[in-house]
């Protein structure tokens, strides 16, 4: 009888411990959800403000003339008119595109600097088509198009950084501006249109969201170790 009573007390203690842990975990989850909603709300408010400012600065008819568009969800500005970017297998920025960048980029930076505290990175991304003399899925094709897309991004960066109208902004650009190549990861059936350039931003809210998820995952791992 005494043995059974001790056994019951043992299992009751374990049950109480598990209940306590579940309550703690519940509060952690509620805290995570609250923080997540706060970051998401901040993210969306900033996105709307930046999108509105970009649309005020760049009118639809102007964007259409440039062969450009602004993605409302990602805030990415894509130049999608292939005839003004790069020739096939070339990283040389066409003259027409240089003229567009001379007009676009200083105004683009002026808009972004109004939201400077929210912006971690301004990214220029170069892209390539899947055109290749042999197998477009080969290692050689991937390497070639990766270098080509990186060269395109760098050449665009080099051009916009040298625009006299942004001379006073260069310290800010050195901190924020990056160039990346995406090879043909975004290529579509239109080979010419795949030779595009995109300007995008990474914001504090995105970074905060990533850190929040990482912290929660790390805390959960530690909690699981404690249970074991």
């Amino acid at each position: 009888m005494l043995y059974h009573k001790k056994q019951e007390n043992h299992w009751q203690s374990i049950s109480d411990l598990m209940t306590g842990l579940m309550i703690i975990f519940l509060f952690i989850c509620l805290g995570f959800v609250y923080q997540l909603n706060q970051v998401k709300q901040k993210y969306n408010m900033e996105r709307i403000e930046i999108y509105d400012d970009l649309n005020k600065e760049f009118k639809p008819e102007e964007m259409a003339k440039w062969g450009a568009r602004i993605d409302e969800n990602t805030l990415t500005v894509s130049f999608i008119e292939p005839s003004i970017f790069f020739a096939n297998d070339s990283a040389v920025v066409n003259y027409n595109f240089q003229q567009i960048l001379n007009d676009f980029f200083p105004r683009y930076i002026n808009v972004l600097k109004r939201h400077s505290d929210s912006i971690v990175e301004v990214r220029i991304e170069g892209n390539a088509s899947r055109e290749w003399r042999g197998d477009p899925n080969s290692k050689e094709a991937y390497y070639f198009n990766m270098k080509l897309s990186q060269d395109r991004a760098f050449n665009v960066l080099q051009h916009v950084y040298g625009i006299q109208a942004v001379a006073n902004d260069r310290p800010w650009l050195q901190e924020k501006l990056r160039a990346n190549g995406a090879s043909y990861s975004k290529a579509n059936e239109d080979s010419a249109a795949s030779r595009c350039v995109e300007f995008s931003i990474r914001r504090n809210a995105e970074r905060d969201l990533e850190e929040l998820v990482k912290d929660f995952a790390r805390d959960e791992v530690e909690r699981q170790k404690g249970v074991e």
Side-chain angles (χ1 to χ4, degrees), residues 10 12 27-28 50 56-57 69 90 96 149 152 180 215 218:
H10 173 72
Q12 182 64 46
F27 278 112
I28 291 173
I50 296 173
K56 288 175 184 176
E57 180 65 39
R69 64 187 177 199
S90 173
N96 288 339
S149 62
R152 286 172 173 171
N180 297 288
D215 289 345
R218 184 175 60 249

Side-chain angles (χ1 to χ4, degrees), residues 106-120:
R107 295 160 60 192
Y108 178 66
I109 292 304
N110 283 337
V111 171
L112 296 188
K113 288 191 71 175
R114 295 177 211 158
H115 307 273
S116 183
D117 291 341
S118 304
I119 295 174
V120 177

